[in-house]
Amino acid sequence: MKSNQYSIKVFEATIEDENKFLAFIDANYELFKHHLLCLQGDIPQRVQQYLEKKSLKYINNFDFPKAKKIKDNFIMPHHEEQKCKESCKVISEPLRSGQYVEHAGDVVVAERINSGAKVVAKGNVIALNVVNGDISSMGDFILVGDTQKSNILFHGVKIDNTLLENRLNKIEFVDNEIVIKAISKKELTWV
Amino acid sequence: MGMIIAVISGKGGVGKTTATANIGLGIAMYGRKCVVVDFDIGQRNLDMILGLENRVVYDLVQVMDGEASLKQALIKSKSNENLYFLAASQTKDKSVLVSSKIKKLVDELSLQFEYVILDAPAGIESGYEHTIEFADSAIIIVNPEVSSIRDSDRAIGILDSKSQKVKDGEEVDKYLIINRIIPEMVQSGDMLSSEDILEILNIKLLGKVAEDKGVVEASNQGTPIILNPKSLAGAAYKRIAARLCGDNIPIQEPTVHNKGLVGKLKGLFS
Ligand SMILES: Nc1ncnc2c1ncn2[C@@H]1O[C@H](COP(=O)(O)OP(=O)(O)OP(=O)(O)O)[C@@H](O)[C@H]1O
Ligand SMILES: [Mg+2]
């Protein structure tokens, strides 16, 4: 006889709230990739589809020999965290010519905004890399570096590029006037 | 399964077809089986650059429509037996292209060839989108000028959102060729440097090709410049083909042409 013996981690759960369950699995996906999920009770169709799409292995209503219980460091998805995710969009790819990002909240762009690309935000815009494209913000501020070729609108007002020198700039309202301030590196760490 | 490579640029006239012909021939000379396909429906000219215009009987649209077999339509290059060519239709326009038929064609080609190189039409319209649809990777050709770079940037953005591989959650490999570099102008600061271009486009560099008067003549004669051992552009395409075949050859900077003593003397008397 040829045989193999494995010990696997089983995660047992009963689904009460579909959304909370999905958020939980999503937040811990990296861990669950290597688990077998044992779901007791009914599995809603959406959950089934999600598990299948993510190729997570699961069994339903299965009574297995109970072994030692272990504690894992699962992340409980936080309510506020999700709210923040919704209001702040982070872009980590370069924005290329013709690409258009519109968002109701804040937008953080970590890579370049190339000539011909456009970011339109109801909230703040933070552009950490070179900007040669267009930015429009209706938020409290725009944070942007040296950008001679860009086209920046703050609350519909075109910002004069010559005022954006070789440094990091914060464009904001002070007493109903648009003010451009140089930002030091120190301040940035907590922005 | 062979690799499907789309040669794209956004802007027209920057050297896609020239690159396709030379890279295809270079890969064949390297000993790999390669097919170059003209996807510029209605404006074909890869056949001329390869010197094969009088050999075209069937085109890719006829193959896709089942009017001809692939075997009938594939034309063997006269300079290398590893290279084959599939012509574009000259009488139809690009609206005849259908995704399912393209998929079938490129799948069939990738079973027979190690490299399937698709020469895209200029622009970013449907003909372009169909060329990149089933590509594994793309070679982006730019000239060192702002309009070419911006148009390529746009084409890359479309590549990264519309190709099937990206829709399946994978990445399309992207390689840059900077074509028609004039070293004197780069040196004097009148032409964008390769570093500037790479910073904007943010993709891997595959090669640098100098401006070379021999290219036009080579195209007119239907003998790709890579066959000319004296040409700088030809040598650059040879290195590019070798890199695509997995050779680790360092990028060579096109250098300022240094007039020798004879040249200087000639200059004095002319
Ligand atoms: N390195 C080079 N040096 C000099 N001339 C070149 C070079 N590369 C290409 N050319 C010339 O540029 C012109 C355009 O080249 P080609 O037809 O390959 O461009 P293309 O991008 O395929 O154009 P289209 O978008 O119209 O299909 C041709 O006349 C060609 O000979
Ligand atoms: Mg062409």
Side-chain angles (χ1 to χ4, degrees), chain B residues 64 95-106 126 129-130 133-134 164 167:
Chain B
M64 286 194 274
S95 63
V96 299
L97 291 175
V98 189
S99 300
S100 58
K101 291 181 182 174
I102 297 169
K103 169 105 178 87
K104 189 163 165 267
L105 177 75
V106 294
S126 71
E129 285 188 14
H130 280 313
E133 201 170 1
F134 303 106
Q164 192 56 45
K167 286 180 187 162

Side-chain angles (χ1 to χ4, degrees), chain B residues 5-261:
Chain B
I5 308 172
V7 179
I8 64 172
S9 69
K11 189 172 154 73
V14 299
K16 291 179 294 299
T17 306
T18 308
T20 304
N22 283 287
I23 294 170
L25 191 47
I27 288 173
M29 284 155 70
Y30 199 89
R32 307 285 176 86
K33 266 198 103 180
C34 177
V35 62
V36 288
V37 186
D38 194 343
F39 256 72
D40 201 348
I41 313 290
Q43 261 183 301
R44 74 173 189 215
N45 39 42
L46 188 52
D47 54 338
M48 296 198 289
I49 295 186
L50 289 168
L52 296 171
E53 67 258 58
N54 58 355
R55 303 267 293 279
V56 178
V57 182
Y58 297 109
D59 60 60
L60 89 174
V61 175
Q62 286 170 304
V63 175
M64 286 194 274
D65 288 343
E67 290 167 26
S69 72
L70 195 51
K71 205 173 159 209
Q72 285 174 307
L74 282 171
I75 300 163
K76 197 183 200 170
S77 146
K78 13 175 223 198
S79 17
N80 194 297
E81 58 173 17
N82 288 325
L83 181 67
Y84 282 77
F85 163 63
L86 189 54
S89 168
Q90 182 70 340
T91 46
K92 300 188 174 149
D93 70 66
K94 57 189 182 250
S95 63
V96 299
L97 291 175
V98 189
S99 300
S100 58
K101 291 181 182 174
I102 297 169
K103 169 105 178 87
K104 189 163 165 267
L105 177 75
V106 294
D107 278 352
E108 243 177 286
L109 287 171
S110 74
L111 286 176
Q112 293 181 33
F113 295 93
E114 286 176 89
Y115 293 84
V116 180
I117 308 183
L118 315 177
D119 180 20
I124 46 171
E125 315 304 329
S126 71
Y128 165 70
E129 285 188 14
H130 280 313
T131 315
I132 57 147
E133 201 170 1
F134 303 106
D136 300 311
S137 42
I139 294 177
I140 294 100
I141 314 282
V142 294
N143 293 159
E145 45 170 288
V146 283
S147 59
S148 165
I149 291 158
R150 184 200 263 191
D151 288 359
S152 292
D153 196 41
R154 180 91 211 262
I156 296 169
I158 294 170
L159 177 72
D160 275 343
S161 65
K162 298 216 167 156
S163 68
Q164 192 56 45
K165 219 174 157 193
V166 169
K167 286 180 187 162
D168 293 340
E170 290 172 75
E171 237 182 89
V172 177
D173 296 319
K174 297 177 280 284
Y175 305 103
L176 183 70
I177 292 179
I178 307 172
N179 186 31
R180 308 193 76 155
I181 298 173
I182 302 172
E184 289 84 354
M185 283 182 75
V186 176
Q187 203 178 48
S188 64
D190 296 324
M191 189 174 256
L192 277 162
S193 76
S194 306
E195 290 72 37
D196 293 340
I197 300 170
L198 281 167
E199 209 180 300
I200 296 171
L201 294 179
N202 201 4
I203 57 175
K204 277 170 272 179
L205 183 62
L206 180 62
K208 300 181 187 181
V209 183
E211 169 79 25
D212 186 334
K213 286 196 190 89
V215 172
V216 182
E217 201 190 321
S219 297
N220 288 341
Q221 290 174 352
T223 49
I225 192 81
I226 196 167
L227 294 170
N228 178 348
K230 287 192 197 128
S231 158
L232 286 178
Y237 278 120
K238 221 178 224 165
R239 289 193 294 272
I240 287 168
R243 283 181 199 117
L244 284 170
C245 292
D247 253 10
N248 197 359
I249 303 174
I251 300 283
Q252 207 159 310
E253 191 67 44
T255 44
V256 176
H257 191 66
N258 211 343
K259 277 188 194 162
L261 183 64

